[in-house]
Amino acid sequence: MPRSRTILIAGAGIGGLTAALALASRGFRIVVLEKAERLEQAGAGLQLSPNASRILISLDVAPLLASRVIVPDAVHIMSARTGRQIGRIPLGAQAGARYGAPYWIVHRADLQAALLARIGDIADIELRLGTSVEDVVDSADGVTVTQRTGDSLLKETALALIGADGVWSTVRQQVFPKMQARFTGRIAWRGTVDAGRLPQDFNRHGVQLWLGPNAHLVAYPMSGGERINVVAISTGSWSAQGWDEAADTADIAQQFDLGRWPPAARSLVGTVDSWRRWALFAVDAEASWTNNSVALLGDAAHAMLPFVAQGAGMAIEDAAVLAESLADMTTPNEVPAALVRYSTQRRARVARMQRTARHTGQIYHLRGPLAVARDTVIRLLDGERLLSRQDWIYDWKADAS
């Protein structure tokens, strides 16, 4: 393929790899620049609702995930106040039939491995590990990117540079220096546990969502059901950058005041041997994502709170819309307008998702009489109505964006 059809992508995470596949399917040559020297199996579980899974299916990733994904039966909403289930959002076959695509739970490392395996089958995608973006300069033919690999520097001109390098994006820092990530006042803890260590009555086929005062817990199976992913989120002031710092078990016990949580929730937290923590940062989706031949994607453009489980989903959607926006482009001069078209199509939806995530977090963490009122409303809504409230998220399709 001629070099004039080259697009550079910074970041080999879920968004960057999905974008590589989507753009390559449109006839572009793709070079993925990843600063890590090797792709380690980091992270934990991901929830991929139908809006995201249908894109991965269209990119032929599903067969590579078949043995590792889980289709949960439901989200079981639990009250820390009473220790009982107050609502159930059906997933499984019901959601699959409603939206025409499945709801998946998968380990992040398994998804990344499947994307990499799919990329390995495509000659027009090159992955450069240990390579960072040093400088970005507009040029007559698009954008010239200086790349560092060890002690070597390489200048390469491409049609476009896509910054898919996460909440602490190097591309964003260089091209959009005023666009900063901000601390949300929330802290997340993550741990995993062997499924066999949990009580027999623990639901290994669904998502448990525990709502408590100023905190909530989420637990669900992953890795083919072999392990349970546990995420705990509370308010706090610790705001170190990064996303994978070791955490003391005593910290989570103190933050969650586990003496006030029911036995089932305490057992879930107590079974985790080691915890990792990260402060939750967000990037305003209303800011500009594009500058001439450079665009941002995923967390680099719009990192959000995880309360609607759509961080990865929004990056995957971005990738599909980006490829669609650039598909008919024939000359470098058309790139800036195509990238503006991409960001324009995405901004309203992503901004709404960010607002929904913030509002959902406030609802999750209610206490006192407001928590009682919340639980009563959830209890009065049947599964069909609870699921239908997700239609605007789950029923999205790239060609209808």
Side-chain angles (χ1 to χ4, degrees):
M1 179 170 294
R3 237 168 157 55
S4 61
R5 295 285 286 174
T6 296
I7 293 177
L8 303 178
I9 298 175
I14 304 305
L17 296 178
T18 304
L21 289 172
L23 287 163
S25 73
R26 297 292 188 169
F28 293 99
R29 173 181 178 266
I30 307 301
V31 179
V32 180
L33 312 175
E34 171 54 53
K35 65 181 179 181
E37 294 187 358
R38 62 179 182 177
L39 296 178
E40 299 180 345
Q41 295 194 1
L46 291 174
Q47 297 184 61
L48 297 175
S49 48
N51 50 303
S53 68
R54 69 166 51 90
I55 294 170
L56 296 176
I57 290 169
S58 73
L59 295 172
D60 296 326
V61 178
L64 300 167
L65 281 173
S67 65
R68 307 305 291 168
V69 298
I70 289 174
V71 178
D73 61 1
V75 176
H76 302 271
I77 307 173
M78 314 294 293
S79 170
R81 186 175 55 85
T82 65
R84 295 193 295 271
Q85 178 172 300
I86 56 175
R88 180 181 182 275
I89 305 174
L91 297 174
Q94 184 171 340
R98 185 184 187 97
Y99 303 113
Y103 192 111
W104 284 341
I105 293 174
V106 64
H107 195 292
R108 181 183 294 272
D110 290 336
L111 176 55
Q112 187 177 48
L115 290 167
L116 286 168
R118 182 75 185 96
I119 280 171
D121 294 333
I122 301 174
D124 286 326
I125 303 179
E126 177 187 352
L127 174 61
R128 296 178 187 167
L129 296 176
T131 302
S132 60
V133 174
E134 291 284 301
D135 192 29
V136 181
V137 178
D138 289 325
S139 69
D141 296 324
V143 59
T144 298
V145 178
T146 302
Q147 307 160 35
R148 177 178 292 277
T149 305
D151 294 329
S152 301
L153 292 177
L154 169 68
K155 287 188 176 182
E156 185 172 11
T157 298
L159 282 174
L161 169 66
I162 308 303
D165 47 346
V167 64
W168 306 115
S169 168
T170 298
V171 174
R172 190 184 68 233
Q173 291 172 7
Q174 292 193 23
V175 183
F176 309 88
K178 295 182 179 180
M179 190 178 176
Q180 300 292 325
R182 59 173 180 78
F183 178 52
T184 63
R186 306 294 176 94
I187 303 169
W189 284 263
R190 181 189 69 246
T192 65
V193 61
D194 189 303
R197 294 182 57 195
L198 293 171
Q200 287 297 316
D201 59 355
F202 180 84
N203 186 337
R204 291 167 172 77
H205 306 288
V207 179
Q208 273 195 14
L209 169 61
W210 285 89
L211 308 183
N214 291 332
H216 74 280
L217 298 170
V218 182
Y220 53 81
M222 62 179 189
S223 300
E226 298 169 4
R227 299 194 66 78
I228 304 298
N229 188 52
V230 183
V231 179
I233 298 178
S234 73
T235 56
S237 59
W238 177 77
S239 59
Q241 295 184 11
W243 64 276
D244 196 31
E245 179 175 310
D248 191 329
T249 302
D251 289 343
I252 192 169
Q254 178 181 5
Q255 287 288 336
F256 278 79
D257 192 9
L258 292 176
R260 296 195 300 164
W261 286 65
R266 294 202 303 270
S267 174
L268 186 62
V269 171
T271 308
V272 176
D273 290 327
S274 62
W275 291 90
R276 315 294 295 182
R277 67 173 177 173
W278 73 102
L280 297 176
F281 284 76
V283 177
D284 185 7
E286 299 288 357
S288 175
W289 305 358
T290 68
N291 186 339
N292 293 323
S293 298
V294 180
L296 301 176
L297 180 151
D299 281 355
H302 48 66
M304 64 184 64
L305 288 165
F307 301 136
V308 285
Q310 288 297 318
M314 291 300 98
I316 291 169
E317 285 187 12
D318 284 352
V321 174
L322 176 68
E324 181 73 19
S325 299
L326 289 169
D328 297 329
M329 188 200 60
T330 58
T331 68
N333 291 338
E334 297 174 282
V335 172
L339 294 180
V340 169
R341 185 163 59 248
Y342 147 72
S343 65
T344 300
Q345 290 178 2
R346 294 296 296 150
R347 185 173 286 109
R349 176 170 168 82
V350 173
R352 182 183 178 186
M353 202 71 68
Q354 287 187 327
R355 293 192 300 270
T356 301
R358 289 194 299 268
H359 182 59
T360 300
Q362 293 167 356
I363 293 172
Y364 282 1
H365 293 187
L366 291 174
R367 58 194 309 161
L370 290 176
V372 175
R374 174 203 62 204
D375 293 356
T376 300
V377 170
I378 293 173
R379 193 177 293 110
L380 292 173
L381 292 172
D382 60 25
E384 171 69 21
R385 283 189 287 177
L386 286 171
L387 182 59
S388 68
R389 294 163 71 94
Q390 311 304 314
D391 284 354
W392 74 274
I393 300 177
Y394 297 171
D395 209 25
W396 181 93
K397 298 176 181 63
D399 56 3
S401 60

